Amino acid sequence: MISVVNANASTMYPPAILDIEASGFGLGSYPIEIGFVQPGGQTWCSLVRPLDDWQHWDPNAAAVHNITREQLFQCGRTPLEIAQLLNDRLHGMTVYSDAWAHDYTWLNRLYEAADMSPSFRLESLRALLSDNDAARWHDVKRRVALSSGLERHRASADARLLQQTWLALRQDREAKRAAA
């Protein structure tokens, strides 16, 4: 699966993006929702049912993602189910995250609980951005969020917003090249 743009091609293939919502930050935090968007735009998302020893819960984080522990137990899938699904759908891909350090840690916690290893590679979204793109990222992301109505702070919606922001940066770059 193509996950980067061919600089000489007029067709852009967006990267696969993964996003994780968590119980909080720091020691003891764990993934509570995992979502991704594939290069073709297909999205997937699931709540994660916490294990018995996953007790950390930060009310400040909960105020941002608006997910309750009760929802996790009622609607969440087990870490094993999620790890298997991620491996099936993302096999062999490089998948990008805008919060690599946190998402990598939480993804590892999920896979350790499932006693599995990922069949895909997680990389920082920053690796796909030029310095100019990185400088413009937040402004373009805000513009995309406003124009698309992607305001819900949930994993798959956040992943789609990140992918759409990456595409908008590429389209802006292509438009500038065409005008020159």
Side-chain angles (χ1 to χ4, degrees):
M1 198 61 121
I2 298 172
S3 61
V4 295
V5 75
N6 178 341
N8 298 319
S10 60
T11 303
M12 289 181 256
Y13 298 96
I17 307 283
L18 180 133
D19 188 70
I20 299 176
E21 300 299 328
S23 64
F25 292 99
L27 195 60
S29 64
Y30 52 88
I32 63 166
E33 183 180 52
I34 298 180
F36 63 80
V37 59
Q38 294 178 312
Q42 306 87 348
T43 60
W44 178 86
C45 192
S46 179
L47 295 175
V48 181
R49 187 177 311 134
L51 299 181
D52 291 340
D53 63 337
W54 291 7
Q55 293 297 316
H56 179 272
W57 193 256
D58 182 344
N60 295 321
V64 173
H65 55 61
N66 292 311
I67 299 169
T68 66
R69 279 185 58 88
E70 292 76 27
Q71 287 174 298
L72 301 178
F73 287 108
Q74 289 173 0
C75 304
R77 291 182 170 111
T78 67
L80 178 61
E81 290 173 295
I82 294 172
Q84 289 172 331
L85 191 138
L86 291 172
N87 278 357
D88 289 345
R89 299 227 182 133
L90 302 175
H91 181 79
M93 289 185 183
T94 298
V95 181
Y96 295 90
S97 164
D98 71 329
W100 182 86
H102 293 295
D103 289 347
Y104 184 83
T105 300
W106 293 320
L107 195 64
N108 276 341
R109 187 140 193 209
L110 178 95
Y111 274 90
E112 283 178 13
D115 197 26
M116 294 177 66
S117 296
S119 67
F120 57 94
R121 195 171 86 212
L122 186 66
E123 292 288 336
S124 173
L125 184 59
R126 179 60 175 93
L128 298 178
L129 304 177
S130 68
D131 289 341
N132 185 46
D133 290 342
R136 298 180 53 233
W137 180 263
H138 293 291
D139 289 336
V140 173
K141 183 178 169 190
R142 191 173 8 264
R143 181 185 82 209
V144 169
L146 289 172
S147 69
S148 66
L150 293 173
E151 297 176 17
R152 189 180 130 190
H153 186 70
R154 295 291 292 267
S156 60
D158 288 354
R160 180 170 301 287
L161 176 59
L162 295 171
Q163 188 184 67
Q164 293 300 313
T165 301
W166 184 89
L167 281 167
L169 285 168
R170 293 301 169 274
Q171 291 166 349
D172 289 353
R173 184 185 298 165
E174 290 297 316
K176 285 180 185 178
R177 282 188 189 143

